[in-house]
Amino acid sequence: MTFGKGAALKDPSGLFNSSLDGNVRRAIDIHEGDKVDKAVLKDLIRAAVELNLKGKSKPKPRRASSKRADLEPIS
């Protein structure tokens, strides 16, 4: 499981166990039989979602344009 901006996330429980040398991403390798603290993983995922949403601005409303209606399809 790779977190694109994982290096910016706090990981006090040490879930990240892969891609630790990079400046941006971090990953968690989960193998069959591994025990994962579901609550800690859920908190980490929520923090990642919040971080990803922070940088996004609301989309600007589209203005109606009469020019678009006049365009002919390209054949």
Side-chain angles (χ1 to χ4, degrees):
M1 182 179 312
T2 302
F3 292 73
K5 298 179 183 177
L9 296 171
K10 294 179 182 176
D11 182 27
S13 298
L15 285 180
F16 290 129
N17 59 11
S18 183
S19 302
L20 301 176
D21 296 332
N23 293 335
V24 180
R25 70 183 176 103
R26 294 286 185 271
I28 302 170
D29 290 341
I30 302 171
H31 303 281
E32 188 175 344
D34 285 354
K35 300 286 184 193
V36 177
D37 185 331
K38 293 177 187 178
V40 172
L41 179 59
K42 191 182 291 188
D43 288 343
L44 187 61
I45 291 170
R46 286 186 174 142
V49 169
E50 184 178 328
L51 177 64
N52 287 329
L53 291 176
K54 259 186 196 177
K56 296 192 179 211
S57 61
K58 293 182 181 179
K60 295 179 183 177
R62 292 177 54 167
R63 295 187 305 182
S65 172
S66 60
K67 291 180 183 177
R68 289 182 183 237
D70 294 338
L71 295 176
E72 304 243 351
I74 298 174
S75 301

